[in-house]
Amino acid sequence: MKERRIGANIIGFVFLVFMGFPVYWMVTTAFKLPKDVLRADQKLWPTSFSLDNFRMAFSRDYFVQSIMNSLIVVSVTVVVSLFLALLASIAVARTNFRGRSALVVMILIVQMVPLTALIIPLFLQLSSLGLVNRLPGVILTYIAFVLPFVIWTLRGFLAGIPVELEEAALVDGCSRPQAYRRILFPLLAPGLVATGIYAFIQAWNEFLLAYIIISSQDKQTLPVWLAGFTSRTGTDWGPLMAASVVAAIPAVVLFSFAQKRLAVGVTAGAVKG
Amino acid sequence: MAAPTTEGRRQALWSYALVAPAIIVMLGVLGVPMVRLVLLSFQQYGIDELISGTAKYIGIANFTAIVQDAEFWAALRRTVLFTAYAVTGSIALGAVLAHALVRMSTVLRWVVNAILIIVWSMPQLVAISIWRWMFSFDFSIIASVIRSLGFTFPNRDWFVNPVMGFGIIGLVVIWGAIPFITISLYAALTQIPRDYIEAAQIDGANRWHILRHIQFPLLAPVYVILITLSVIWDFQVFSHIWVMLEFRPSPDYYTLAVYAFQTSFGISQYGRGSAIAIAMVLVLLGATGYYIRRMIKETR
């Protein structure tokens, strides 16, 4: 037993370095003095501590604006997609209607169509709707892209709540919407939080669609703003790493809360012991 | 199917009403563009058409053009090789780590898990930017570390040689894919009942036997899902290439996704770009269609 542990620990340690080093390098670079960032010979261990890179990043144009844009995009995406998905998943999980399995198939197929293939017609579509270079264009796109997963996951949470509870409420004289509001929603709350966090992270992290749809600087979301640190003359590495730390924190924090509920979803039930 | 009673019909109507808003959004934003992608691939569609909003159908001219285009075949070859490299790397490394996690000391497992979650949840652009910084021309930590080991290794443009460039870009993709693959495999591994393994050990099975005859067969369905998803994701890698090469990759780095994008948005040949995208979807469907159908059947 003992020597097996050692082998596993060595593998674990190697992966810790491989997976962790880029994160370490981002954080230590962010906190270095700017003159230590731009050195031909880099040192593995931090040699200085300063917040200059953060100051330089925050004083770049459109920093606050792009955070605001990201927050608008994220909050509308989360609220609207959760609402639409809640309605749809109730229908999928609780009733058996014609076309139900077609919907399930569609949800799966939608998740598998290459984004890079869809971008071209999507851009032209948004262009003809007058939604190019506007936040509503980004929001609408994000809602559609997170909906399949959100519906799918909520359906899973719903399936775990016994239908008898609602039926009992119906027998006791509740209307269907009342039964949903008083019985179902409170039980579903943890599922709503987890899927809401998923939608938040997707919308907060997404780069490519926003990069294509948005062209003016005052409408950039945070990842598009980050891409602007690179110009033809080079990249502002120190401030870029500082801003990257800031951009990564919300997603990392939220995800560590929701990970247990979301992670297993994809492959759950695949092993039948 | 519900009996055609009034109650049944009312319930069905109620269900349709609940699903309709989500369906309309998904059809409008995803369904319509999918159809439009097919139509576009048969059209002459450039800047003029974008402005006027009308387009002329030109039959299969876009497709005959790409089939005769050497650049297309080179891009297809690069895409296939890159996908093979990235999928093999991420599945193999993810599997090794998942099996090690099961037997690792609790503290180390906790730390590795934390790192996996950080990497997993990081915005893609942040992840790519870090690697671009690690492999920058003038200030690369990797070059510095190699030098500190005593080798002569001047700072360099890592992407002059596309083989090395794709090697690095693939590493970024693999690094980003390991958390999802590892955590999925680890979750599946811990679902295997302990009795199976104990029974095998009593019968004299060693670790390799357990891996080969118990863990691997039981995990096979999970592997199929993970490989299929990885092929789909890695085949269409775009942002990694685009951002690592500072938003202007040289033709040596055109995979199908980059080539389709460049043809559409770079030189405004949207019809031709769509034809490349369609070819990409067809190749992908050919490679994974069977498994996707099986996955759909199982989830029903």
Side-chain angles (χ1 to χ4, degrees):
Chain A
M1 207 57 204
K2 262 267 145 43
E3 72 263 41
R4 282 185 203 147
R5 270 257 156 112
I6 291 172
N9 285 343
I10 293 173
I11 295 174
F13 188 76
V14 170
F15 272 95
L16 189 61
V17 173
F18 174 57
M19 298 307 288
F21 182 76
V23 181
Y24 164 85
W25 194 238
M26 164 180 76
V27 175
T28 51
T29 303
F31 286 102
K32 275 177 192 164
L33 274 171
K35 71 173 172 56
D36 284 342
V37 172
L38 303 183
R39 279 167 54 150
D41 245 313
Q42 296 282 329
K43 297 278 169 287
L44 267 181
W45 314 114
T47 46
S48 56
F49 178 86
S50 107
L51 294 174
D52 287 1
N53 290 320
F54 288 91
R55 251 175 246 127
M56 283 154 72
F58 298 164
S59 62
R60 278 182 81 100
D61 290 345
Y62 304 110
F63 166 64
V64 178
Q65 182 70 51
S66 63
I67 287 192
M68 290 307 295
N69 291 341
S70 268
L71 287 177
I72 293 169
V73 168
V74 166
S75 46
V76 179
T77 303
V78 169
V79 171
V80 176
S81 65
L82 273 190
F83 179 70
L84 295 184
L86 182 62
L87 299 183
S89 60
I90 287 175
V92 176
R94 282 292 186 263
T95 59
N96 200 349
F97 60 96
R98 201 186 293 270
R100 180 181 173 280
S101 57
L103 175 74
V104 173
V105 171
M106 191 176 108
I107 287 171
L108 283 168
I109 289 177
V110 157
Q111 291 195 75
M112 290 173 187
V113 172
L115 175 62
T116 27
L118 262 192
I119 281 177
I120 304 163
L122 188 60
F123 177 82
L124 299 179
Q125 179 87 353
L126 290 172
S127 162
S128 56
L129 291 171
L131 289 171
V132 163
N133 199 22
R134 291 182 55 206
L135 291 185
V138 179
I139 292 169
L140 186 64
T141 314
Y142 284 3
I143 291 172
F145 273 94
V146 297
L147 260 182
F149 184 86
V150 174
I151 294 177
W152 190 242
T153 319
L154 272 186
R155 185 206 64 97
F157 281 108
L158 267 169
I161 300 172
V163 73
E164 287 78 13
L165 290 177
E166 288 157 66
E167 279 165 359
L170 288 177
V171 170
D172 288 350
C174 276
S175 67
R176 203 169 267 278
Q178 271 177 332
Y180 286 156
R181 207 178 61 231
R182 300 211 178 132
I183 311 287
L184 198 58
F185 295 167
L187 290 169
L188 195 58
L192 281 173
V193 171
T195 41
I197 288 179
Y198 167 84
F200 181 104
I201 295 171
Q202 292 299 310
W204 179 264
N205 285 0
E206 206 284 330
F207 164 67
L208 185 55
L209 287 164
Y211 174 71
I212 309 275
I213 297 171
I214 298 299
S215 51
S216 44
Q217 290 190 304
D218 60 324
K219 298 198 181 95
Q220 291 171 342
T221 58
L222 204 56
V224 182
W225 177 75
L226 277 180
F229 281 61
T230 299
S231 67
R232 290 205 172 262
T233 51
T235 301
D236 284 338
W237 292 113
L240 175 59
M241 289 302 116
S244 293
V245 171
V246 174
I249 284 173
V252 170
V253 171
L254 281 176
F255 190 67
S256 27
F257 286 122
Q259 182 257 347
K260 280 235 159 59
R261 287 179 206 280
L262 290 171
V264 202
V266 187
T267 52
V271 176
K272 295 181 183 80
Chain B
M1 205 78 295
T5 59
T6 355
E7 175 55 27
R9 213 173 299 141
R10 260 188 53 201
Q11 218 203 8
L13 272 179
W14 177 235
S15 307
Y16 287 128
L18 288 175
V19 199
I23 299 270
I24 290 169
V25 172
M26 287 193 286
L27 278 183
V29 180
L30 301 167
V32 173
M34 274 187 229
V35 175
R36 186 135 185 216
L37 179 71
V38 177
L39 298 181
L40 270 169
S41 67
F42 295 108
Q43 287 174 339
Q44 161 77 40
Y45 204 105
I47 282 283
D48 296 343
E49 286 78 8
L50 184 60
I51 292 163
S52 69
T54 53
K56 194 166 80 237
Y57 282 91
I58 52 170
I60 57 163
N62 285 324
F63 289 97
T64 48
I66 61 171
V67 171
Q68 287 161 5
D69 172 14
E71 192 63 70
F72 169 80
W73 294 106
L76 176 62
R77 195 173 144 266
R78 274 180 216 118
T79 313
V80 170
L81 289 175
F82 179 80
T83 306
Y85 160 53
V87 172
T88 315
S90 44
I91 296 286
L93 292 178
V96 168
L97 182 55
H99 280 275
L101 270 179
V102 178
R103 288 169 299 129
M104 205 173 280
S105 77
T106 321
V107 182
L108 187 59
R109 186 194 305 144
W110 191 87
V111 180
V112 171
N113 238 321
I115 285 292
L116 289 179
I117 286 170
I118 292 175
V119 171
W120 192 355
S121 51
M122 201 173 261
Q124 197 182 43
L125 194 87
V126 168
I128 304 170
S129 300
I130 302 172
W131 283 84
R132 196 155 65 82
W133 164 231
M134 283 165 49
F135 286 96
S136 68
F137 192 142
D138 307 289
F139 316 111
S140 167
I141 177 65
I142 305 297
S144 299
V145 168
I146 295 174
R147 272 197 300 274
S148 72
L149 296 172
F151 297 95
T152 318
F153 198 87
N155 284 335
R156 66 196 53 225
D157 183 345
W158 299 82
F159 297 93
V160 165
N161 175 354
V163 175
M164 185 175 205
F166 272 118
I168 294 170
I169 294 168
L171 209 57
V172 186
V173 172
I174 292 169
W175 177 80
I178 282 179
F180 170 69
I181 291 168
T182 307
I183 291 176
S184 301
L185 283 174
Y186 176 71
L189 270 175
T190 52
Q191 281 172 37
I192 296 176
R194 277 227 49 88
D195 337 357
Y196 288 19
I197 293 169
E198 277 161 15
Q201 279 167 340
I202 291 167
D203 291 345
N206 62 25
R207 255 221 59 70
W208 166 249
H209 291 141
I210 292 171
L211 186 73
R212 171 76 188 76
H213 296 291
I214 296 178
Q215 290 174 326
F216 189 74
L218 280 174
L219 256 56
V222 183
Y223 276 107
V224 170
I225 296 176
L226 292 176
I227 293 172
T228 309
L229 288 175
S230 299
V231 168
I232 293 170
W233 290 334
D234 295 349
F235 198 81
Q236 51 164 322
V237 161
F238 173 83
S239 301
H240 291 82
I241 301 170
W242 194 251
V243 178
M244 284 299 273
L245 293 155
E246 315 204 319
F247 311 97
R248 37 174 199 282
S250 72
D252 285 340
Y253 285 94
Y254 285 4
T255 57
L256 285 182
V258 178
Y259 193 41
F261 183 91
Q262 197 61 283
T263 309
S264 306
F265 296 100
I267 57 172
S268 299
Q269 293 282 344
Y270 295 97
R272 181 111 169 243
S274 300
I276 299 170
I278 293 271
M280 188 172 137
V281 174
L282 290 180
V283 175
L284 202 49
L285 269 181
T288 59
Y290 170 75
Y291 296 100
I292 293 177
R293 275 221 329 261
R294 242 179 55 181
M295 272 160 69
I296 289 174
K297 255 192 217 141
E298 272 162 26
T299 45
R300 253 201 249 186

